[in-house]
Amino acid sequence: QVQLVESGGGLVQAGGSLRLSCHASGRTLGDYAMGWFRQAPGKEREFVAAITWTGAATNYADFVKGRLTISRDNAKNVIYLQMNSLKPEDTAIYYCATGATRWTLGKTSNEYNYWGQGTQVTVSS
């Protein structure tokens, strides 16, 4: 069993930056690929980014367009999502999740097993 806790969300103006963190307990994150998803009010949860267990490969949603970067520090049991040039449409609850395998980079929720409770990101215009 893995417990995931996201942090780093908050209120930021358009064009600003935030770095989200996802800390794990119960298991080492180095055993998993990891993903970030988000869910805006009234919308379905959508894929943001994923990273394999060593960090050697990543995958991003098309809307990221170089603004967001996923990374990980297995020694600290944490993954990050650096978000730059934020837009109001980035407003959502952001969730981290463990991949079903060490190499999971998929964009669908059913490829991920354990989920955190989410952290709210609000971008004002």
Side-chain angles (χ1 to χ4, degrees):
Q1 190 78 10
V2 179
Q3 291 79 44
L4 302 174
V5 178
E6 302 93 339
S7 61
L11 174 63
V12 64
Q13 290 187 332
S17 298
L18 285 173
R19 188 177 78 159
L20 306 184
S21 300
C22 173
H23 287 83
S25 60
R27 290 283 299 271
T28 174
L29 282 185
D31 291 336
Y32 303 96
M34 296 295 297
W36 284 99
F37 286 73
R38 71 183 188 183
Q39 187 166 18
K43 296 187 177 181
E44 294 188 352
R45 188 174 298 186
E46 65 177 350
F47 171 79
V48 176
I51 187 168
T52 54
W53 68 297
T54 62
T58 57
N59 189 24
Y60 292 95
D62 291 341
F63 64 78
V64 169
K65 295 182 180 179
R67 300 184 299 117
L68 279 59
T69 303
I70 188 171
S71 62
R72 66 190 302 156
D73 186 338
N74 288 342
K76 294 182 179 179
N77 228 27
V78 62
I79 65 165
Y80 303 102
L81 185 67
Q82 178 67 44
M83 304 191 295
N84 300 324
S85 302
L86 284 163
K87 305 175 182 180
E89 51 264 43
D90 293 318
T91 295
I93 299 174
Y94 284 72
Y95 301 89
C96 64
T98 58
T101 75
R102 289 184 171 185
W103 301 273
T104 298
L105 292 174
K107 298 183 177 182
T108 58
S109 298
N110 60 10
E111 298 176 80
Y112 297 82
N113 296 332
Y114 299 104
W115 295 79
Q117 293 301 305
T119 184
Q120 176 71 49
V121 171
T122 303
V123 184
S124 63
S125 58

